[in-house]
Every structure is written in structure tokens, then in C-alpha cells.
Amino acid sequence: MTYFLSDAHLGSRVINDPQAHIERLVGLLKQMANDADKIYLLGDIFDFWYEYLFERHQWRRKDGTWLLPRSKRQFTSLISALHDLTQTGVEVHFFIGNHDIWTFGDLERNTGITVHRHPESLIIEGKKVFLAHGDGIVPSDYFQSLPKVWQKKIRRFMRLRAFFHNPVPQFLFRLLPPMIGDAFGYEWARRSRLKEIQKPCPYKGENKEELVLYAKEQEAMAVKGRTCHHDYYIFGHRHILLNLPMSNAEQQATSSVIILGDFFQQFTYAQMTNTKLTLLT
Ligand SMILES: [Mn+2]
């Protein structure tokens, strides 16, 4: 059995009881441990995550107890649960989102999970699956087709994204005292979360939703042999729940676009066996 989950935004300062939110995910992970072979965490699991230079990098003591740096101590039960999963042979894959780009090895080394920094094309449960958080993924002709105002907005987002992914500012931010870095990061994340709660952006329909357009374009290219066909395109990021089968007249094979909802307000995730994919709450 394989599970997919995204956008928990753990630690968000919008939530009244952040610890209860963390324990809720820990509870689900422990439940998944009963029958999971693989778990894919598809980004924004943390509302803000930064591994600083001047903090503890070894989180597990020799006697097996945990001591995380103060900036991450609230996540101790989660880190311990992830470690237990990988220790018992469950593969845990962590895709960075746009809120938790900044893991530099500590998370991977201390838990045994695999961190992915780019979209992946994988065989899962016998199916060809395209996996990505979803930020920055748009079809190729998308940009020109938009009104000027939107072009400007998206250009700004892409510039910010490039800045966040740039190793030079990343390194400088790592030098900060964790308390200062976190104060800044969690506040930025809180504002972006509030913006999304106040002005939610519902599903735009299959002719406008960027991730769907991207998948359609990939499948159209696959028909011409320029990319390969995928049975599933699975994304997070949008905080909407979608299971959209796409069929192509020229092509026998069909694909589905899955958007996982979130584990922030909707508490949704996906479960996949070799026969089907199911969205669960
Ligand atoms: Mn996101």
C-alpha cells in the first residue's frame, strides 16, 4: 500500500493548537504504518522549516531519546514517528514544497527519509506516476495566454521562488540565530496562510487549472513520443481535492490528475494499491 499526503503546514501560527495538529498527523502516520510500503509527503508538510548552521544537527542521543534543536522541538513526536517508519522498512519520501525548501540534510540524516527537491517520474504500485508539490508547474504556453496583470503577478512569484531556491541567500539565512530566522519565517508563512484562508482560490475547472493543463500538455506530448505517458499526475499545493480522469481520443491509455487537498483544514490524503487510487478524509 502506498500513501500520499501534502500541505499539513505544521507549526502554522494560524492554528489555535499547533501541537494537537502535529499529533493528528503523527496519529495518521502510525495508522499508515500498519499496511504502508511507501509514504509520499508531497510538500508543505511544515509551514516553515529552516535548518540553521548554529544549532544541534544530531537529534537522537545514544540512549535512543530525542533532543531536537529548540527551533524544532515541537516536532519531536513527528520526527520520532518518521524515524520509526523508516526503521521498520517503510519508504518515506519527502518532497520539498514552497514552505519547507530549506532542509540541508538534517531531516534526512536523523529520520532516514528521502528528500526530493524536484518533480519525479516513478513506478508506484505498477503504475507510472508523476509527482510534484505543484508550485511553479505550468504548461509551456501558459504565460503568454494570460492577461498582463497576471503575467506580472506570476513573474513576481517566480522571481521570489528563484530567490528562495538560490544557495547564496539560503546560506546567509542559515547563519541567523534560529529564533530570529523562525520569527521571520513563521510570520511570512502565517500571512500567506491568512491570505489563502480569506481569499480562497477554488478549482478553476479543467481548462484553467494550471496543474491540469500541465498534465494535459504532457499527455499530448507523450502521444507524439516526446515525453512519456503517466497513469497518474499527483500534486499538492493547491489545497483543493481533485480526482480528474483525462482521456485522449488519439490514445487508448488514460491518465488521472490527483490534487491531494490538504492536511490543514480538510485532512485529506490518498491511498493507492495496484488496482486503484482512493482519496480519503
Ligand atoms: Mn505549497
Side-chain angles (χ1 to χ4, degrees), residues 226-256:
R226 282 161 57 207
T227 54
C228 66
H229 160 73
H230 290 91
D231 299 299
Y232 291 103
Y233 290 81
I234 307 182
F235 303 105
H237 187 55
R238 282 284 284 115
H239 295 246
I240 57 176
L241 196 58
L242 180 74
N243 182 353
L244 178 74
M246 309 187 295
S247 54
N248 192 320
E250 304 153 51
Q251 178 196 22
Q252 281 163 348
T254 56
S255 322
S256 294

Side-chain angles (χ1 to χ4, degrees), residues 6-7 9 42-45 96-100 133-135 157 193 196 236-239:
S6 76
D7 297 274
H9 291 270
L42 275 192
D44 287 356
I45 296 306
I96 62 166
N98 50 317
H99 286 247
D100 44 15
H133 176 58
D135 64 310
F157 175 78
R193 206 99 315 276
E196 277 184 40
H237 187 55
R238 282 284 284 115
H239 295 246

